[in-house]
Amino acid sequence: MISKLPLLLCLACLSLPALAEPVKLARDAALSPDGKTLVFTWRDDVWSMPVSGGRARRLTEHPAEDSAPAFSPDGKQLAFISTREGSKQVHIMPARGGEARQVTRHTEGYDLRGWMPDGQSLLVSINRDFSWMREPRSSRPALLDAAGGKAETLLFDDYAYEVSAAADGQRFLFTREGESWWRQGYQGSRSGQIWLFDAANNQFKQIKAEATECRWPLWKPDQSGFYYVSGRDGAMNLWEHDFASGKDAQITRFTEDSVVFPALSRNGATLVFRHRFDLYRYDCAKKAEPVRIAIEAVTDAAPPAIERRVLTTATGITHTRDGLQMAFTAGG
């Protein structure tokens, strides 16, 4: 008689409900132009949810790593990086999810920084002739046609990272030096600096150079200033800089660990950043205390527990007639 037990166990496994779990260490946060929708990377896929919090919806589901999502200026498309072809290539898909179109195919790959204001091109970082150098000094900023099929255009031939484009599409804030944002309280010559590049005049200007880290600059939509992260008060916190007055205002006041990876909506209404394990939302108009975003996601059901025991003795052994199988009593 054939036992039905294995079949019943399999059916029980298939009927296990999907589990919702808290999302921790989400990265690559990005906001829709109106600041109402948040996308991020978690478990090597791209997820989407309301910026107010709640349950996230998976937009990509692929064995390869998908990362660095960025909304188009009209909010209808989502660009992201994927290793589906072996190296980091730019893909574009509908913002609500759907089939992704591969845009780039250079074997050295790309890092995505966002969309340009015209919605026709993307701001990327590339490693080509300088790939032998230690990052980020190998990284060059470039512009890429979102339609694909064309070579990228180098923005300028020197290293830069964490590049942010102004609304006029001509000015760019970026970081140099650095590499030590994870070293809380670091002071020294390797601290991150913030620079401004004016493409119309081909001019560079150093904006921030302090003993402590300054990095992740984000242009305000009206181009009156920018948000950035600084370690001047001992911990890495969010600040804003005003061009006209030259003054800086502190936004967050965490005393432990760092504010990292900030993202700003195109309308300037909402800013999101990560602190420790969670993402936080900051209302740029109300200037209220940042709020932690509670995120949960439905993942695969947990597999049934497996008990393993090692038995060293047995009794009552009996063999089949051909001697190929045996039955015995062990472990009670």
Side-chain angles (χ1 to χ4, degrees):
M1 179 178 179
I2 299 175
S3 174
K4 296 181 180 179
L5 183 57
L7 177 60
L8 293 174
L9 288 175
C10 290
L11 292 175
C13 292
L14 291 174
S15 64
L16 287 173
L19 301 177
E21 62 177 287
V23 172
K24 298 295 183 181
L25 292 175
R27 58 189 177 90
D28 303 333
L31 290 162
S32 59
D34 60 7
K36 296 181 178 179
T37 301
L38 169 68
V39 294
F40 57 88
T41 301
W42 187 60
R43 293 190 174 180
D44 292 339
D45 282 316
V46 176
W47 300 72
S48 175
M49 62 174 294
V51 74
S52 57
R55 181 164 295 184
R57 181 171 63 93
R58 196 194 307 255
L59 295 182
T60 67
E61 190 168 0
H62 197 279
E65 179 183 357
D66 296 334
S67 61
F71 277 98
S72 61
D74 62 6
K76 295 181 180 180
Q77 299 182 88
L78 203 63
F80 65 99
I81 294 292
S82 181
T83 59
R84 300 177 187 191
E85 297 297 323
S87 57
K88 297 193 297 184
Q89 303 297 333
V90 179
H91 291 64
I92 295 178
M93 68 177 180
R96 295 185 60 82
E99 185 176 355
R101 169 176 60 89
Q102 186 172 340
V103 178
T104 62
R105 299 186 183 276
H106 197 291
T107 54
E108 289 294 328
Y110 298 80
D111 287 309
L112 181 62
R113 303 306 176 195
W115 289 75
M116 290 296 290
D118 61 6
Q120 304 299 313
S121 54
L122 297 161
L123 181 60
V124 297
S125 294
I126 59 175
N127 294 283
R128 299 293 183 261
D129 298 335
F130 300 93
S131 59
W132 55 271
M133 299 179 68
R134 182 182 176 186
E135 291 189 5
R137 285 163 178 76
S138 60
S139 179
R140 268 46 179 174
L143 300 180
L144 180 73
D145 184 7
K150 297 180 181 179
E152 65 274 357
T153 302
L154 204 62
L155 193 59
F156 54 82
D157 190 11
D158 209 334
Y159 86 88
Y161 57 103
E162 299 166 0
V163 187
S164 173
D168 60 13
Q170 295 295 313
R171 291 180 295 168
F172 302 83
L173 290 167
F174 59 94
T175 306
R176 284 174 65 90
E177 298 297 339
E179 300 183 72
S180 51
W181 62 265
W182 41 268
R183 295 173 59 185
Q184 181 171 315
Y186 171 81
Q187 296 188 34
S189 60
R190 295 298 297 276
S191 293
Q193 306 169 1
I194 296 177
W195 287 70
L196 170 66
F197 172 62
D198 189 333
N201 302 313
N202 197 34
Q203 293 181 344
F204 294 85
K205 182 180 180 181
Q206 190 181 68
I207 305 297
K208 291 289 176 185
E210 302 176 359
T212 57
E213 285 287 304
C214 289
R215 59 191 313 159
W216 289 301
L218 296 171
W219 279 97
K220 292 184 176 181
D222 61 5
Q223 305 173 87
S224 63
F226 61 92
Y227 298 99
Y228 69 104
V229 172
S230 172
R232 64 168 61 97
D233 67 340
M236 298 278 284
N237 275 295
L238 190 67
W239 293 68
E240 61 179 312
H241 176 78
D242 180 71
F243 281 123
S245 66
K247 295 182 178 181
D248 299 274
Q250 187 170 358
I251 296 174
T252 63
R253 299 184 181 276
F254 295 106
T255 58
E256 296 181 347
D257 219 315
S258 302
V259 169
V260 294
F261 315 131
L264 181 66
S265 61
R266 196 166 289 271
N267 66 357
T270 307
L271 194 150
V272 169
F273 60 87
R274 194 175 89 187
H275 179 254
R276 290 189 170 177
F277 301 102
D278 299 299
L279 296 180
Y280 285 75
R281 179 182 70 255
Y282 173 68
D283 189 315
C284 299
K286 295 181 179 179
K287 299 183 181 297
E289 190 74 16
V291 178
R292 186 181 69 86
I293 305 174
I295 308 173
E296 67 174 17
V298 174
T299 57
D300 297 333
I306 299 175
E307 181 182 356
R308 290 184 171 88
R309 291 189 294 166
V310 178
L311 304 175
T312 58
T313 61
T315 61
I317 298 176
T318 181
H319 294 81
T320 57
R321 288 184 179 181
D322 59 12
L324 297 179
Q325 297 182 17
M326 66 180 180
F328 56 88
T329 301

